[in-house]
Amino acid sequence: MIEENLLLILVGLPFAAAIAASTVRATAHGAAAWVSGLLLAVGLAILALLHAPISDGQVLRATLRWVPSLGLNLTFRMDGFVWLFVALVFAIGILVLVYARYYLSKADPVPRFYAFLMAFTGAMVGMLMSGNILMLVVFWELTSILSFLLIGYWHQGQAARDGARMALIVTGLGGLCLLVAMLILGQIVGSYDLDRVLAAGDVVQADPLYPLVLGLFLLGCFTKSAQMPFHFWLPGAMAAPTPVSAFLHSATMVKAGVFLLVRFFPVLGETDLWFYAVTGTGMLTLVLGSVIALFRHDLKGLLAYSTISHLGLITALAGIGSNGAILAAIFHIVNHAVFKASLFMAAGIIDHETGTRDMRRLSGLIRFMPVTGALAIVASAAMAGVPLLNGFISKEMFFAEAADWHNGTWLDNSLPYLATIAGIFAVAYSLRFIATVFFGPEATDLPKVPHEPPSLMRRPVELLVLVCLVVGILPGLTLGPTLNLAAQSVLGADLPYKDIAIWHGFNLPLVMSLVALGAGVALYAALGGRIATGPEGPPLLHRLRAQRVFERILLSLTWKLPRLVHRTFGTERLQPQLRLIVLLTIAAGFATLWGSLRQAPSPLATGFNPAFALMWAVGAVCAVGAAWLAKYHRFASVVLLGGAGLVTCLTFAWASAPDLAVTQLLVEIVTTVLLLLGLRWLPKRREEIEEDKLLPARIRRARDFVIAVVGGAGLAGVAYVMLTWPLIPNVGDWFLRNAYSEGGGTNVVNVILVDFRAFDTFGEITVLAIVGVTVFALLRRFRPAPESIMLDEEQAGLDDRTVADALLVPSVIMRWMFPVMIVLAAYLFFRGHDLPGGGFAAGVTVSVAFLLQYLAHDVRWVEARLTVLPIRWMGIGLLIAGATGVGAFLFGYPFLTMHAQYVDVPLIGQVPAATALIFDAGVFALVVGATVLMLIAIAHQSLRTTRMRERDSADTSEKEAA
């Protein structure tokens, strides 16, 4: 149980750090960094505690039931592979936090940066530890969203906005492909549990859908890990701050794709299709990435393409899939994260202290920055694969796997040659990084005078370079057991232990390394001078930019094609759009119900009731009248529409549905008044429009009438069939039987809303919050027609005093109604679990109370006496409802599981209590906030128009005076 709780804490720590960082003051740079770093350090301590059971071969699991019936559970698991990856994320995360503390400017919104970075860390840890493949995709997509925010952190720059958008689109689309792959994979296996999926390799590969699953899965992995042809988003993401590049683009986000390739190798690998697709893509990316990196002039651009190349190396190892290849892939994931993070930080220091990343302007920095230069040289040597450094050992292992025989195909036979070519270019671009930046004559046109950074800013680089050296000299003692444990977690516990050493004798992999080192030095010596004066990109290929291709495709899909469709089929007029929507809805209804909707053999029937028939006749007259008068007499139309709604309310009451009747009545009041207030600001309609009497207008109205009759008749037919069909056992019977025993309430409707179907309600109030904010945003930009700014004809001849006197008695009555309505809302709220009422009805009642005050007085009078903060009401409501659901996790129950029991209250006795009441309080708060927010948006139009009238009056007076 302790281990399970530690797993949950491990996932929650980064999100807690994000919340904590977002709450500090904008100027508290150190506080945000300290809070985030300390919480990640706690995560490392937890990992240290979990190492003992992990090293014993255990797979730790913790499950929070979410929707068990659909197999959607928040299951987190940890084995040796996950432990290594999470430790890597936390350790480099702490170093990046220290580095960012000194890198970011005091003018930057630093708490926001740390909040985004910690939230991304949480999403990454959640993805790594997910034991449910659907939850894995959720965290996967969350990393894409948060990386978008981090890349676009300096959003004032066009490059940051473009890079963030490109990264989100590419990785987001890949995530959708991954989601479809996981859905199909879960259906093939019969479970979305990761352990069961990993154990079903034979079943999956024998299924005819295996090629489809593999293709979609690889699209998700390749887009995230920047494999060609999806590599172009990574160089564009270099517009992000350097701490983001050091963390996301070396150690975490881009490693997510190769993590999944290694993780799912037992279930999807070891087939010819896997070998060709994964190994081929990896080798292509490895070679082309290394070639392009050599010709980049931007420091971070060179590192970006070298990252793409190394990711191709890891991908190729996952495609080869032998025991040694998987071990080498895991080893190089760690090594690359270490030396590439240090190189990104070194590049950031150079940019920070010189003001440029252009290698054509940088030269001779070893004289000004000797310590930084030494660190960068060692890290670059590790990237090139120089002996006694960590990169050399994992690259040797890659050469060994490339040179080994696997299946004898053309791709298998070409692997050693391609690997050697990539190694040559890797040495060349690493040497260019060192020689161009740190050696040569002193630079003369730098924006800043270069100097060493603060020692604490350089400390993370020093620690990472030290790791490169220690692992490179003592690989077996430092990482050997951990790497073997990780490989056994992927391939099985019976995998033999592989000793990782520096020297394996004079063999073919060593010859390949020596050739790569020698030829790489020669290549740079031959081309170094020409590269600096040439274009940014390899010869013949520098004009072909994948970013440009992407932008053109995006422009065609998001601008040109929609405009073409709009010109062909669309219109800017609202009426044809609504007509098309209604016609499509009617067609979809007929297509769905045609042939399946039929009258019951013995339909239910009730006797004719004249009173009920008369009531419906009145409702029908109101509805027809509202439609008839809607064009020229909108006020009368809204009143008649309210009459039809009132008849609906009475129908609910007649049919013994008091909850629906109460809700319908309250909603009808609010919507009618809001509509009337909104109509005040619409332009007037006059009957003397000559075009309405012409034949085209008559034909249009006749067509709309036919559509309305067909739609209404179809809906009436469906309602008649459903109402007259004999009752059969259904889920409603279960609700009736279990409302009290399971939900603790006798009002079945309310128990369904806040207990049995609380998740639906939670989604609905979320939508209501979105609608409220959207309406408010739209009305803030709304400007009424000039004729609506003027006073009504009835008010034009009256002064404010006369109007106030005329409304004195109604305003006093409405003011007195405020406390009465509040008491009524409390009554409806507390009785809702057993009698008609509830949080929604109570929230609408409070909204009516506020509505009356705005009707009785002007906006300034109300808001001077009542502090209304609807956005906070909405936020608190969502928070309460969500916290109620999450609280069930603490007791081991699924999300939004409610509990009810009787509580002894002194002097009163036993009182029923249910956690659903807390959830209902969230519903109440959100309904009040959303409704009042829309009311305020409409009411503030009067303030705006008053100012406009005053300005017009002042302008007129000035003109008359002149």
Side-chain angles (χ1 to χ4, degrees), residues 41-58:
V42 172
L44 281 179
I46 293 175
L47 285 172
L49 294 175
L50 295 176
H51 184 264
I54 292 295
S55 60
D56 291 336
Q58 296 184 36

Side-chain angles (χ1 to χ4, degrees), residues 18-89:
I19 295 173
S22 65
T23 58
V24 303
R25 291 180 292 108
T27 56
H29 295 188
W34 271 102
V35 169
S36 303
L38 287 175
L39 288 176
L40 290 190
V42 172
L44 281 179
I46 293 175
L47 285 172
L49 294 175
L50 295 176
H51 184 264
I54 292 295
S55 60
D56 291 336
Q58 296 184 36
V59 178
L60 306 180
R61 294 175 63 91
T63 300
L64 296 174
R65 290 184 292 167
W66 180 268
V67 187
S69 58
L70 297 179
L72 294 179
N73 296 318
L74 285 173
T75 301
F76 300 104
R77 66 186 297 279
M78 177 173 284
D79 55 18
F81 185 40
V82 174
W83 187 93
L84 175 63
F85 227 114
V86 175
L88 186 69
V89 170

Side-chain angles (χ1 to χ4, degrees), residues 631-632 687-701:
K631 188 166 187 177
Y632 293 110
E687 294 190 21
E688 55 273 11
I689 299 177
E690 295 298 330
E691 289 80 0
D692 277 357
K693 300 177 182 179
L694 300 179
L695 182 61
R698 295 177 182 273
I699 295 175
R700 183 179 67 249
R701 286 197 293 271

Side-chain angles (χ1 to χ4, degrees), residues 26 34 83 128 166 208 289 360 437 453 504 521 632 658 838 846 881 893 897 909:
W34 271 102
W83 187 93
L128 295 173
M166 189 182 304
R360 292 169 295 187
V437 175
H504 292 283
V521 173
Y632 293 110
V846 172
Y893 292 98
T897 300

